[in-house]
């Protein structure tokens, strides 16, 4: 059971920077579904795409896994012999719960692809040769000056034929497009039961820790990291997901 996200419902004297602590982990599934338009579709199709590109006897990484939604989806879809998923997150609260969720999934379904959860920083974790890497709304929390290095390391670890799925909240270079999509995103959040106060306080909490790029900047950076081709396979308002081929 997950709790309803009320973290920003009451007026806060001072809004601190957002952290992935136990309070967030407790409400995370509710928070992310009510905040990211298209999230359930992206997560389900990460499983479908991973099943298409996973190679037998290879590793798959879910970097910034939170509670393991993408890992669980891949385990629902993957049939490749000998694959193993490594889910990584640096937040202890997320890692703890993610392990619980994955063992619950193990107890309900037989013969799932094995998955282990590692507490570690994406900037430091050593990546072994792999066929699929997931960065589902994680790169936006990495300091911009480190993003190219992260993508280059992923590119170097991917086997020929391997794929990276990169989902992000996008910024738009044209100010009126930015304005329209941002306003509709707030309407999406209001339609999901968030008040104007919750929306405003969450926005202040996140604005220093989640720094956004345009789709163009993502595609150019992927090219600079050595990916042969990258394109957007899904977009809903100002959120989307890119596939990048090794
Ligand atoms: C999902 N992928 O539900 N190293 C490791 N983890 C990190 C780092 C880092 N340097 N920085 C941030 N994180 C998930 C959702 S949430 C997105 C991903 C969101 C982790 C952080 O602890 C958090 O769990 C995750 O990245 C981002 O499919 O909350 O909008």
């Amino acid at each position: 059971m997950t709790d309803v996200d009320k973290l920003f419902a009451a007026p806060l004297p001072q809004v601190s920077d957002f952290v992935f602590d136990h309070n967030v982990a407790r409400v995370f599934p509710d928070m992310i579904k009510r905040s990211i338009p298209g999230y359930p579709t992206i997560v389900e199709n990460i499983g479908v795409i991973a099943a298409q590109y996973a190679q037998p006897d290879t590793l798959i990484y879910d970097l910034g896994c939170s509670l393991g939604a993408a890992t669980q989806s891949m385990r629902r879809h993957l049939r490749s012999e000998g694959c193993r998923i490594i889910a990584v997150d640096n937040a202890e609260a997320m890692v703890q719960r993610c392990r619980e969720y994955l063992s619950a999934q193990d107890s309900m379904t037989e013969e799932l692809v094995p998955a282990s959860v590692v507490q570690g920083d994406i900037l430091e974790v050593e990546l072994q040769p792999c066929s699929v890497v997931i960065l589902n709304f994680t790169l936006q929390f990495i300091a911009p000056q480190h993003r190219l290095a992260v993508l280059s390391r992923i590119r170097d670890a991917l086997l020929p034929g391997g794929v990276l799925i990169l989902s992000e909240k996008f910024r738009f270079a044209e100010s009126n497009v930015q304005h329209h999509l941002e306003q509709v995103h707030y309407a999406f959040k209001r339609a999901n039961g968030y008040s104007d106060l919750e929306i405003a306080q969450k926005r202040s909490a996140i604005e220093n820790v989640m720094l956004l790029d345009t789709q163009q900047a993502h595609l150019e950076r992927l090219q600079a990291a050595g990916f042969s081709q990258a394109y957007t396979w899904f977009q809903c308002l100002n959120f989307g997901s890119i596939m990048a081929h090794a």
Side-chain angles (χ1 to χ4, degrees), residues 6-239:
K6 294 262 180 229
L7 296 181
F8 296 97
L12 299 166
Q14 200 196 334
V15 181
S16 322
D17 279 353
F18 191 82
V19 284
F20 291 98
D21 59 11
H22 285 277
N23 290 331
V24 170
R26 192 169 43 75
V27 301
F28 191 74
D30 179 67
M31 170 188 279
I32 201 154
K33 246 189 281 147
R34 289 163 68 212
S35 303
I36 300 189
Y39 176 80
T41 306
I42 290 176
V43 167
E44 203 52 37
N45 283 292
I46 282 175
V48 174
I49 297 168
Q52 181 76 12
Y53 289 95
Q55 300 170 27
D57 301 311
T58 61
L59 287 179
I60 292 172
Y61 286 99
D62 179 7
L63 302 177
C65 59
S66 298
L67 303 184
T71 292
Q72 289 186 50
S73 169
M74 292 192 283
R75 296 177 97 201
R76 286 194 293 276
H77 290 275
L78 272 171
R79 295 292 167 262
S80 261
E81 291 284 308
C83 282
R84 191 157 66 83
I85 303 174
I86 301 181
V88 180
D89 204 289
N90 64 352
E92 190 207 349
M94 291 293 188
V95 166
Q96 259 181 28
R97 273 189 182 239
C98 185
R99 288 189 178 128
E100 289 167 19
Y101 276 45
L102 293 181
S103 43
Q105 193 185 23
D106 275 317
S107 64
M108 284 187 290
T109 318
E110 284 175 11
E111 293 184 20
L112 291 170
V113 168
S116 47
V117 189
V118 173
Q119 186 177 349
D121 192 322
I122 293 162
L123 298 177
E124 288 161 12
V125 81
E126 196 191 323
L127 300 175
Q128 304 293 330
C130 51
S131 56
V132 177
V133 177
I134 311 300
L135 276 172
N136 200 35
F137 300 106
T138 301
L139 195 66
Q140 59 202 12
F141 292 103
I142 303 285
Q145 68 271 24
H146 298 313
R147 291 178 187 175
L148 176 59
V150 168
L151 296 180
S152 301
R153 279 176 45 238
I154 292 172
R155 168 64 192 88
D156 291 347
L158 277 171
L159 295 160
V163 77
L164 163 69
I165 303 174
L166 170 66
S167 312
E168 291 273 294
K169 181 177 184 182
F170 296 135
R171 184 170 65 75
F172 293 84
E174 284 182 77
S175 59
N176 61 337
V177 175
Q178 174 65 32
H179 175 77
H180 288 304
L181 291 180
E182 202 169 57
Q183 293 307 311
V184 183
H185 178 227
Y186 296 150
F188 169 90
K189 293 187 79 164
R190 281 194 297 272
N192 283 326
Y194 284 118
S195 67
D196 287 338
L197 177 70
E198 284 177 292
I199 294 170
Q201 293 193 133
K202 172 75 181 286
R203 184 186 166 164
S204 328
I206 210 107
E207 68 191 357
N208 296 325
V209 287
M210 191 178 87
L211 302 173
L212 305 181
D213 292 315
T214 61
Q215 277 187 65
Q216 189 61 26
H218 281 298
L219 296 173
E220 283 171 11
R221 190 187 288 123
L222 287 162
Q223 195 179 26
F227 286 88
S228 63
Q229 201 181 21
Y231 47 88
T232 302
W233 64 271
F234 181 84
Q235 188 179 336
C236 186
L237 307 180
N238 41 354
F239 293 79

